Amino acid sequence: IKYLPFFPDKRAQGIEQIVRARDKGLLTEVAGGLTLAYTYLESKDYEKALAEFLPLTKRYPNSIIGQQMLGRIYKSMKRTDDAAAAFKRCLEVDPTNSYSVLYLGEVYYSARKHNLVAERYYEQFLTMDPPTDQQALAQYRLGQIARRFDWVDEAIGHFEQALALKSDMKHAERR
């Protein structure tokens, strides 16, 4: 990528500015906390992300965005029960929130020991008329779960459905 100019890494200065805005700004406390939590999550600094986010979710317990972020942080930390609780809280607030259903499937799928629970959430997700690329992901995950149980024909069926929905899903094609 020689044609791009060099841009120095200024994340530390940006984080300092966000902290200052959060701590001293008149109307930026919540927005600053959200921004910091997301920045730390994307930087894989999960402890700092959690430290920023917990006070916000306590202050706004019915915020779906807040609970989803909390669930993503816990999932990244491999805290399955906490992640699942956050996404289930989203569904208490809005039972039609398909993203939370998909993420519950992802949480349980990643834990590997809850395959049938993950399968149930992916199947529920598919009934919620999600976007095509997310349907493909759910079908792919269902194929992977079927493989874990050596249900070969079922796995192939799910991988084929994933490819029919998203033809460039190369990892489904290889399965």
Side-chain angles (χ1 to χ4, degrees):
I1 310 179
K2 294 180 181 182
Y3 56 88
L4 289 176
F6 174 74
F7 294 104
D9 185 352
K10 297 202 174 208
R11 282 178 285 193
Q13 294 95 321
I15 288 172
E16 285 175 21
Q17 290 172 347
I18 296 167
V19 168
R20 193 169 41 254
R22 181 202 59 199
D23 294 346
K24 298 184 190 269
L26 196 54
L27 302 172
T28 56
E29 177 186 358
V30 173
L34 283 170
T35 304
L36 282 170
Y38 190 76
T39 300
Y40 291 137
L41 174 64
E42 293 302 312
S43 299
K44 297 182 180 4
D45 193 341
Y46 306 126
E47 293 296 333
K48 284 184 180 177
L50 187 60
E52 287 295 331
F53 221 80
L54 279 176
L56 294 172
T57 55
K58 287 184 175 138
R59 186 170 175 183
Y60 302 101
N62 291 330
S63 166
I64 291 173
I65 293 172
Q67 292 297 328
Q68 285 178 342
M69 271 287 274
L70 188 60
R72 286 185 59 203
I73 293 166
Y74 282 136
K75 179 185 179 294
S76 298
M77 296 173 82
K78 299 183 181 0
R79 291 174 55 176
T80 301
D81 293 339
D82 293 326
F87 290 115
K88 287 176 182 177
R89 177 75 183 118
C90 291
L91 293 174
E92 289 172 13
V93 175
D94 177 10
T96 66
N97 186 289
S98 62
Y99 180 83
S100 294
V101 174
L102 175 63
Y103 247 90
L104 277 163
E106 290 290 285
V107 165
Y108 288 117
Y109 171 81
S110 297
R112 297 190 69 88
K113 60 185 174 184
H114 302 291
N115 293 303
L116 296 177
V117 177
E119 179 183 49
R120 188 178 78 233
Y121 282 112
Y122 289 127
E123 288 172 350
Q124 178 184 350
F125 174 73
L126 288 169
T127 68
M128 301 176 90
D129 195 31
T132 303
D133 62 325
Q134 292 179 351
Q135 287 180 45
L137 172 63
Q139 289 292 349
Y140 176 71
R141 290 290 195 237
L142 286 167
Q144 289 180 307
I145 290 168
R147 271 190 50 205
R148 288 178 179 175
F149 288 105
D150 291 324
W151 302 335
V152 176
D153 291 337
E154 188 175 332
I156 290 170
H158 286 297
F159 291 140
E160 287 174 347
Q161 287 181 50
L163 280 169
L165 291 162
K166 192 169 189 244
S167 61
D168 64 341
M169 188 175 260
K170 298 298 182 202
H171 40 283
E173 191 172 28
R174 287 191 301 265
R175 303 288 179 203

Short mmCIF file of all heavy atoms in Angstrom, two decimals, residues 5-34:
data_model
loop_
_atom_site.label_atom_id
_atom_site.label_comp_id
_atom_site.label_asym_id
_atom_site.label_seq_id
_atom_site.Cartn_x
_atom_site.Cartn_y
_atom_site.Cartn_z
N PRO A 5 -0.47 7.70 2.04
CA PRO A 5 0.48 8.42 2.89
C PRO A 5 0.53 7.79 4.28
O PRO A 5 -0.41 7.12 4.71
CB PRO A 5 -0.09 9.84 2.95
CG PRO A 5 -1.54 9.66 2.67
CD PRO A 5 -1.67 8.47 1.76
N PHE A 6 1.62 7.98 4.96
CA PHE A 6 1.76 7.46 6.31
C PHE A 6 0.94 8.34 7.27
O PHE A 6 1.04 9.56 7.25
CB PHE A 6 3.23 7.47 6.74
CG PHE A 6 3.41 7.09 8.18
CD1 PHE A 6 3.26 5.78 8.60
CD2 PHE A 6 3.70 8.06 9.14
CE1 PHE A 6 3.42 5.43 9.92
CE2 PHE A 6 3.85 7.72 10.47
CZ PHE A 6 3.72 6.39 10.85
N PHE A 7 0.13 7.68 8.07
CA PHE A 7 -0.64 8.39 9.10
C PHE A 7 -0.19 7.88 10.45
O PHE A 7 -0.27 6.69 10.72
CB PHE A 7 -2.15 8.13 8.94
CG PHE A 7 -2.73 8.69 7.68
CD1 PHE A 7 -3.02 7.87 6.61
CD2 PHE A 7 -2.98 10.05 7.57
CE1 PHE A 7 -3.56 8.39 5.45
CE2 PHE A 7 -3.53 10.58 6.41
CZ PHE A 7 -3.81 9.74 5.35
N PRO A 8 0.31 8.76 11.30
CA PRO A 8 0.75 8.30 12.62
C PRO A 8 -0.45 7.83 13.46
O PRO A 8 -1.57 8.27 13.26
CB PRO A 8 1.40 9.55 13.22
CG PRO A 8 0.85 10.70 12.47
CD PRO A 8 0.47 10.19 11.10
N ASP A 9 -0.16 6.93 14.38
CA ASP A 9 -1.19 6.40 15.28
C ASP A 9 -1.46 7.43 16.37
O ASP A 9 -0.60 7.68 17.21
CB ASP A 9 -0.71 5.09 15.87
CG ASP A 9 -1.77 4.41 16.73
OD1 ASP A 9 -2.82 5.02 16.99
OD2 ASP A 9 -1.54 3.26 17.13
N LYS A 10 -2.62 8.02 16.34
CA LYS A 10 -2.97 9.06 17.31
C LYS A 10 -4.11 8.61 18.22
O LYS A 10 -4.85 9.43 18.75
CB LYS A 10 -3.33 10.34 16.59
CG LYS A 10 -2.17 10.90 15.80
CD LYS A 10 -2.33 12.35 15.55
CE LYS A 10 -1.07 12.86 14.88
NZ LYS A 10 -0.82 14.21 15.15
N ARG A 11 -4.26 7.29 18.38
CA ARG A 11 -5.35 6.80 19.23
C ARG A 11 -5.22 7.26 20.66
O ARG A 11 -6.21 7.63 21.28
CB ARG A 11 -5.42 5.27 19.18
CG ARG A 11 -6.07 4.74 17.93
CD ARG A 11 -6.07 3.26 17.93
NE ARG A 11 -4.70 2.85 17.62
CZ ARG A 11 -4.33 1.64 17.29
NH1 ARG A 11 -5.21 0.68 17.26
NH2 ARG A 11 -3.08 1.35 17.00
N ALA A 12 -4.02 7.26 21.20
CA ALA A 12 -3.84 7.67 22.60
C ALA A 12 -4.32 9.11 22.82
O ALA A 12 -5.02 9.39 23.80
CB ALA A 12 -2.37 7.52 23.01
N GLN A 13 -3.98 9.99 21.89
CA GLN A 13 -4.42 11.39 22.02
C GLN A 13 -5.95 11.47 21.87
O GLN A 13 -6.60 12.24 22.58
CB GLN A 13 -3.77 12.29 20.94
CG GLN A 13 -2.29 12.43 21.10
CD GLN A 13 -1.53 11.43 20.22
OE1 GLN A 13 -1.92 10.27 20.06
NE2 GLN A 13 -0.42 11.87 19.66
N GLY A 14 -6.50 10.69 20.98
CA GLY A 14 -7.95 10.67 20.80
C GLY A 14 -8.66 10.19 22.04
O GLY A 14 -9.67 10.76 22.46
N ILE A 15 -8.12 9.15 22.65
CA ILE A 15 -8.72 8.63 23.89
C ILE A 15 -8.63 9.67 25.00
O ILE A 15 -9.59 9.88 25.74
CB ILE A 15 -8.06 7.29 24.29
CG1 ILE A 15 -8.51 6.20 23.31
CG2 ILE A 15 -8.40 6.91 25.73
CD1 ILE A 15 -7.80 4.88 23.46
N GLU A 16 -7.50 10.36 25.09
CA GLU A 16 -7.38 11.44 26.09
C GLU A 16 -8.43 12.51 25.87
O GLU A 16 -9.03 13.00 26.84
CB GLU A 16 -5.98 12.09 26.00
CG GLU A 16 -4.87 11.25 26.58
CD GLU A 16 -3.50 11.89 26.37
OE1 GLU A 16 -3.43 13.12 26.14
OE2 GLU A 16 -2.50 11.16 26.42
N GLN A 17 -8.68 12.86 24.64
CA GLN A 17 -9.69 13.88 24.34
C GLN A 17 -11.09 13.39 24.71
O GLN A 17 -11.90 14.15 25.25
CB GLN A 17 -9.64 14.26 22.85
CG GLN A 17 -8.40 15.03 22.48
CD GLN A 17 -8.28 15.22 20.98
OE1 GLN A 17 -8.97 14.59 20.19
NE2 GLN A 17 -7.36 16.11 20.59
N ILE A 18 -11.37 12.13 24.44
CA ILE A 18 -12.68 11.58 24.79
C ILE A 18 -12.86 11.55 26.30
O ILE A 18 -13.92 11.90 26.83
CB ILE A 18 -12.88 10.18 24.18
CG1 ILE A 18 -12.87 10.25 22.66
CG2 ILE A 18 -14.19 9.56 24.67
CD1 ILE A 18 -12.73 8.89 21.98
N VAL A 19 -11.82 11.14 27.03
CA VAL A 19 -11.88 11.12 28.50
C VAL A 19 -12.15 12.53 29.03
O VAL A 19 -12.98 12.73 29.91
CB VAL A 19 -10.59 10.52 29.11
CG1 VAL A 19 -10.53 10.75 30.61
CG2 VAL A 19 -10.50 9.03 28.80
N ARG A 20 -11.44 13.50 28.48
CA ARG A 20 -11.63 14.89 28.91
C ARG A 20 -13.08 15.35 28.63
O ARG A 20 -13.71 15.96 29.49
CB ARG A 20 -10.62 15.81 28.22
CG ARG A 20 -10.54 17.19 28.83
CD ARG A 20 -9.36 18.04 28.34
NE ARG A 20 -9.06 17.96 26.92
CZ ARG A 20 -8.01 17.30 26.40
NH1 ARG A 20 -7.16 16.68 27.18
NH2 ARG A 20 -7.81 17.28 25.10
N ALA A 21 -13.59 15.02 27.47
CA ALA A 21 -14.96 15.40 27.12
C ALA A 21 -15.96 14.69 28.04
O ALA A 21 -16.93 15.30 28.50
CB ALA A 21 -15.25 15.06 25.67
N ARG A 22 -15.70 13.42 28.34
CA ARG A 22 -16.60 12.68 29.23
C ARG A 22 -16.60 13.27 30.63
O ARG A 22 -17.63 13.45 31.25
CB ARG A 22 -16.18 11.20 29.29
CG ARG A 22 -17.10 10.36 30.19
CD ARG A 22 -16.45 9.10 30.68
NE ARG A 22 -15.25 9.41 31.44
CZ ARG A 22 -14.29 8.55 31.68
NH1 ARG A 22 -14.35 7.33 31.21
NH2 ARG A 22 -13.23 8.90 32.39
N ASP A 23 -15.42 13.58 31.12
CA ASP A 23 -15.28 14.04 32.50
C ASP A 23 -15.64 15.50 32.71
O ASP A 23 -16.13 15.88 33.77
CB ASP A 23 -13.85 13.79 32.99
CG ASP A 23 -13.53 12.31 33.09
OD1 ASP A 23 -14.46 11.48 33.05
OD2 ASP A 23 -12.33 11.98 33.18
N LYS A 24 -15.40 16.34 31.72
CA LYS A 24 -15.56 17.78 31.92
C LYS A 24 -16.65 18.41 31.05
O LYS A 24 -17.04 19.54 31.29
CB LYS A 24 -14.24 18.49 31.67
CG LYS A 24 -13.15 18.04 32.63
CD LYS A 24 -11.89 18.83 32.43
CE LYS A 24 -10.76 18.23 33.19
NZ LYS A 24 -10.52 18.66 34.48
N GLY A 25 -17.10 17.69 30.05
CA GLY A 25 -18.09 18.24 29.14
C GLY A 25 -19.45 18.38 29.80
O GLY A 25 -19.81 17.61 30.69
N LEU A 26 -20.20 19.32 29.34
CA LEU A 26 -21.51 19.59 29.90
C LEU A 26 -22.52 18.51 29.51
O LEU A 26 -23.30 18.05 30.35
CB LEU A 26 -21.99 20.97 29.43
CG LEU A 26 -23.14 21.59 30.18
CD1 LEU A 26 -22.86 21.67 31.67
CD2 LEU A 26 -23.40 23.00 29.65
N LEU A 27 -22.50 18.08 28.27
CA LEU A 27 -23.48 17.12 27.77
C LEU A 27 -22.84 15.87 27.17
O LEU A 27 -23.50 15.16 26.42
CB LEU A 27 -24.38 17.79 26.72
CG LEU A 27 -25.14 19.02 27.19
CD1 LEU A 27 -25.82 19.70 26.01
CD2 LEU A 27 -26.15 18.65 28.25
N THR A 28 -21.61 15.61 27.48
CA THR A 28 -20.89 14.54 26.80
C THR A 28 -20.53 13.35 27.69
O THR A 28 -19.83 12.46 27.23
CB THR A 28 -19.60 15.09 26.15
OG1 THR A 28 -18.82 15.72 27.17
CG2 THR A 28 -19.92 16.06 25.03
N GLU A 29 -21.03 13.32 28.89
CA GLU A 29 -20.67 12.22 29.80
C GLU A 29 -21.06 10.86 29.22
O GLU A 29 -20.24 9.95 29.13
CB GLU A 29 -21.34 12.42 31.16
CG GLU A 29 -21.07 11.29 32.13
CD GLU A 29 -21.85 11.43 33.42
OE1 GLU A 29 -22.59 12.41 33.60
OE2 GLU A 29 -21.72 10.52 34.25
N VAL A 30 -22.32 10.71 28.81
CA VAL A 30 -22.80 9.43 28.29
C VAL A 30 -22.16 9.12 26.94
O VAL A 30 -21.66 8.01 26.72
CB VAL A 30 -24.34 9.41 28.20
CG1 VAL A 30 -24.83 8.15 27.49
CG2 VAL A 30 -24.94 9.51 29.60
N ALA A 31 -22.18 10.09 26.04
CA ALA A 31 -21.59 9.86 24.71
C ALA A 31 -20.10 9.53 24.82
O ALA A 31 -19.60 8.65 24.11
CB ALA A 31 -21.80 11.08 23.82
N GLY A 32 -19.40 10.20 25.71
CA GLY A 32 -17.99 9.91 25.91
C GLY A 32 -17.76 8.52 26.44
O GLY A 32 -16.86 7.81 25.99
N GLY A 33 -18.59 8.11 27.41
CA GLY A 33 -18.47 6.76 27.95
C GLY A 33 -18.74 5.69 26.90
O GLY A 33 -18.03 4.69 26.81
N LEU A 34 -19.78 5.92 26.09
CA LEU A 34 -20.08 4.98 25.00
C LEU A 34 -18.93 4.89 24.01
O LEU A 34 -18.53 3.80 23.59
CB LEU A 34 -21.34 5.42 24.26
CG LEU A 34 -22.67 5.15 24.92
CD1 LEU A 34 -23.80 5.86 24.18
CD2 LEU A 34 -22.94 3.67 25.00
#
